[in-house]
Amino acid sequence: MRRRFCQLNLGAVNSKRNITTTAQCQQADGLELGVNSKQRTCPVHQRPRSTHAALETPVFGTATSSAKSWEEVPGPKPLPLLGNTWRFAPYIGNYSVEHVDKVCLSLREQYGDCVKMAGLLGRPDMLFVFDAREVERVFRSEDGAPHRPAMPSLNYYKHVLRKDFFSAEENCAGVISVHGDSWSAFRTKVSRVALSVSAAAQYTEPVAEVADDFVYRISKIRNKDLETPDDFLNEIHKWSLESLSLIALDTRLGCFDACAGSDSQRLIDAVNTFFLCVGELELRAPWWRLYPTRMFKQYVAALDTILSVTLKYVERALEDSKTGGNKSLLQELVTAAGPRVAAVAALDMFLVGIDTTSNAVASILYQLSLRPAVQEKLYEEITKVLQNRPMRPGDVNQMPYLRACVKEVLRMFPVVVGNGRQLTKDTVICGYHIPKGTQVIFQHYVMSNSEENFVSASEFRPERWLLKTSGKHHAFASLPFGFGRRMCLGRRFAELEIHTVICKIVQAFRMEYHHELLDYHIHPMYTPNGPIRLKMIER
Amino acid sequence: MSLRNIFRTVRSTHSYLLRYNYLGASFSNYKSVVPLSTNIPALKDEKVKVTFVLNDGKRIETEAKVGDSLLDVVVNNDLNIEGYGACEGTLTCSTCHVILKQEDFDRLPEEASDEERDMLDLAYGLTDTSRLGCQIIMSKDLDGLEIQIPETINDARS
Ligand code: HEM
Ligand code: FES
């Protein structure tokens, strides 16, 4: 089996002092931080493989005495901003929201590895971090209930508008827009079920069936040039919703041929409305805080619909679980934590699990369509494993190249461009005292596309993920699903869904792209900007 | 949608709420019955010996139940290793990182899964004989296992 571990000699961990260049890097950085220069002295950063190295150097020294003050952190002059964080991705008012990726690149050029964004109207100051080693440090010093800044509008829905429902039982508000003990208690109830590797594998066959249906659907909706229609992304949304309902609600909604008035159509509409509204509500002036705007009412109605549909299916799962047999994830959740927890978990999964996954798939398909050689290699790997039989649990584990391709796309084009934490204690970052309450945003898009963290960062090289030695990449630079106790709760499902559908599509079609190259934009996922018209040629 | 409609929706959500309160109560006793642990339940209460070597050199010899994960062993024996197992074995944190002797590493029945390897890459002070403790299930064959707990970033800092 392939091993991706690093150089260090086995067994000799204690004696081997593997003092890397890290020490010098760090010191050099420390000197530079105050200056507005972005010249870096060390081209490659390595994490210390022997922890002893770290002890002897001030690498992790939160040497508090020498740290500079918050006031000294470089950054643009406070801008007049309006509310602007949506979900995990940071947005900066004054700048073009869709192109925050480029804005962040230039911020880093101008100010260095950490940049202060202060004076944000109605919200805490932000600190953008572009140094993977600092990201590692912040993550590793997390306490039991890391706080990730979230959507104020959802906050309002859960904690004010529908307070009766979400606080009727103790610890039942979910994980999105929930913090502290209440988050922690809920997360513990759900994550052992949701993040279990074997629980996800149990869904291999049904998820593969949905993928088969999607492949069939693709072959039907192509135009006469065999190209996917302009609204192909919407079709991918349907696949995503269908797959997720299978997992979260034990149900085939029938999204590919939903008729008006059905539960599936109501859910599709509600989820679409939610996407549409949430961006607007979070990115524009928050009038809804003053009075219920039209948009806000639609948003609330959509959330209510999602919640009521999920409740209905949870109830059904409850009935079914009495008949015994193999337990589904939903039944596990219901029996372990009660129906309300299961319904709220399903709601949260719908809120963040659909467009993330579908935009990832859109981006992967588009990138593959530009690279016939990669497709061929994938096709070879897939046929070797499957040999014309249906997919079974564990198959994807025999497809390292497939997994590597997905990682590589998510490195270059992470659907969630940045992740963040609101500090629960004062912390030294990049040599500055950062006060508690600051929102620290890890700029993964910038870090995972930087030469300092990845060799030939601008090249699409899935092979880099297959190397025995982990090469030169810093493991904390590309974290598409986050890290730690607050990591993506749907990661196992997302990976299962993505691997399965890409596997099926590559197996069925050769993909080509014959239009102008697409730029990426933040919408609010990082996604190709423009119609995804892929030529799908049967194999 | 008019304001009135919103209120109507609130009311209808409310009726769900009442129904579910009832169900919630009747089902709450399942909580204690259904083990959420992903471990393979031990058939017999067999025990094996394991030794933890902490980063300050201290050795702790203890007994481990067959079928428990190394994380369970740490928790059940109150070993109080700071920060160990932050994500409760859900493979999201890598704080349960352990370093094994080569011969122990080789005799583990299963190699690390893809999911474990993804997290292992993020472990602090990674070595070639590193594994994540929450994924190592104790068996009779592993009697006498010696487990080194690597330093954490927090140790290094202080
Ligand atoms: C490619 C697809 C996906 C990506 C890139 C993604 C990414 C992320 C990221 C970066 C976070 C923040 C993690 C952190 O703070 O460290 C997150 C959180 C979350 N994700 Fe995902 N996600 C995806 C799919 C899904 C799916 C399919 C589901 C549901 C089944 C889901 C459910 C969640 C939930 C519930 C949280 C909040 C966890 C918490 O705060 O405790 N995600 N996701
Ligand atoms: S306890 Fe978190 S990965 Fe093992």
Side-chain angles (χ1 to χ4, degrees), chain A residues 131-320:
Chain A
D131 182 338
R133 292 161 304 167
E134 295 297 308
V135 174
E136 175 176 8
R137 270 196 38 218
V138 176
F139 269 131
R140 290 210 197 282
S141 59
E142 263 177 13
D143 58 20
H147 184 134
R148 187 185 53 246
M151 310 170 249
S153 62
L154 190 60
N155 221 27
Y156 185 78
Y157 179 81
K158 282 189 171 179
H159 303 301
V160 180
L161 213 55
R162 296 289 179 265
K163 186 164 173 281
D164 287 353
F165 181 84
F166 289 98
S167 54
E169 245 173 59
E170 220 185 332
N171 302 326
C172 189
V175 287
I176 310 280
S177 277
V178 179
H179 303 288
D181 292 344
S182 175
W183 167 82
S184 180
F186 190 93
R187 171 95 184 189
T188 298
K189 289 185 207 166
V190 177
S191 65
R192 286 203 133 179
V193 180
L195 283 165
S196 146
V197 176
S198 56
Q202 203 185 306
Y203 285 90
T204 306
E205 278 147 23
V207 164
E209 274 167 33
V210 175
D212 282 334
D213 291 354
F214 186 49
V215 166
Y216 178 73
R217 171 99 182 149
I218 292 175
S219 68
K220 290 289 155 222
I221 57 176
R222 287 174 302 181
N223 66 16
K224 61 179 191 329
D225 299 322
L226 299 182
E227 286 192 350
T228 52
D230 284 5
D231 70 342
F232 187 46
L233 183 60
N234 195 41
E235 293 293 326
I236 306 180
H237 282 327
K238 289 185 192 165
W239 158 81
S240 180
L241 180 56
E242 185 78 12
S243 306
L244 193 56
S245 316
L246 199 67
I247 293 162
L249 301 181
D250 270 355
T251 244
R252 277 296 301 257
L253 283 177
C255 296
F256 296 130
D257 37 33
C259 59
S262 60
D263 273 348
S264 37
Q265 193 56 52
R266 280 174 55 216
L267 198 55
I268 296 171
D269 292 345
V271 169
N272 270 333
T273 310
F274 172 78
F275 291 160
L276 205 92
C277 296
V278 78
E280 293 286 315
L281 291 173
E282 299 292 349
L283 299 178
R284 307 217 182 275
W287 295 114
W288 58 268
R289 287 172 195 255
L290 305 178
Y291 69 97
T293 59
R294 207 170 75 92
M295 177 77 70
F296 189 68
K297 288 182 203 163
Q298 286 175 352
Y299 173 80
V300 170
L303 284 169
D304 284 344
T305 304
I306 303 175
L307 189 60
S308 68
V309 175
T310 50
L311 280 168
K312 182 171 148 188
Y313 285 98
V314 167
E315 191 170 18
R316 222 181 64 183
L318 254 176
E319 289 297 317
D320 293 351

Side-chain angles (χ1 to χ4, degrees), chain A residues 410-461:
Chain A
L410 291 180
R411 173 186 72 83
M412 295 179 77
F413 310 97
V415 281
V416 179
V417 289
N419 192 5
R421 293 287 181 260
Q422 185 153 358
L423 295 181
T424 52
K425 52 179 183 270
D426 292 353
T427 309
V428 173
I429 300 175
C430 290
Y432 295 94
H433 281 292
I434 311 298
K436 174 180 166 175
T438 309
Q439 292 190 356
V440 179
I441 310 289
F442 313 130
Q443 296 292 353
H444 286 295
Y445 165 77
V446 175
M447 286 184 278
S448 61
N449 281 287
S450 122
E451 281 295 324
E452 283 142 38
N453 297 316
F454 289 91
V455 175
S456 309
S458 61
E459 285 170 31
F460 184 86
R461 283 196 193 169

Side-chain angles (χ1 to χ4, degrees), chain A residues 32-62:
Chain A
E32 276 170 25
L33 279 168
V35 208
N36 281 0
S37 110
K38 237 234 81 264
Q39 276 298 319
R40 317 263 317 214
T41 38
C42 294
V44 170
H45 300 300
Q46 280 191 323
R47 293 156 62 221
R49 288 307 179 181
S50 157
T51 46
H52 286 261
L55 264 182
E56 291 161 16
T57 66
V59 172
F60 300 103
T62 30

Side-chain angles (χ1 to χ4, degrees), chain B residues 15-150:
Chain B
S15 62
Y16 272 115
L17 185 155
L18 294 173
R19 287 226 306 284
Y20 276 91
N21 262 344
Y22 167 67
L23 285 174
S26 62
F27 269 74
S28 58
N29 46 359
Y30 274 79
K31 269 180 224 166
S32 48
V33 185
V34 181
L36 259 184
S37 163
T38 47
N39 305 327
I40 310 147
L43 295 176
K44 285 168 253 152
D45 244 8
E46 283 184 293
K47 299 220 164 158
V48 293
K49 248 215 331 257
V50 293
T51 307
F52 288 89
V53 183
L54 304 190
N55 59 55
D56 58 4
K58 201 168 121 199
R59 297 172 68 87
I60 305 177
E61 282 194 16
T62 182
E63 287 197 320
K65 267 218 301 275
V66 169
D68 271 3
S69 72
L70 277 185
L71 173 61
D72 295 328
V73 178
V74 170
V75 173
N76 296 342
N77 291 300
D78 293 325
L79 294 189
N80 275 336
I81 303 172
E82 207 205 317
Y84 196 86
C87 77
E88 300 161 313
T90 57
L91 275 180
T92 68
C93 75
S94 77
T95 59
C96 61
H97 178 197
V98 295
I99 299 173
L100 303 175
K101 291 200 259 182
Q102 183 71 49
E103 62 265 30
D104 284 340
F105 185 83
D106 292 339
R107 71 182 162 127
L108 289 180
E110 277 172 33
E111 286 190 34
S113 64
D114 287 326
E115 290 78 9
E116 179 181 345
R117 246 177 277 161
D118 284 346
M119 288 323 289
L120 208 42
D121 275 350
L122 297 158
Y124 186 68
L126 183 67
T127 74
D128 277 353
T129 56
S130 287
R131 286 292 301 263
L132 292 179
C134 66
Q135 303 300 303
I136 298 179
I137 307 297
M138 294 312 297
S139 66
K140 283 235 61 159
D141 296 342
L142 294 180
D143 192 27
L145 195 66
E146 187 176 304
I147 301 124
Q148 193 191 332
I149 304 289

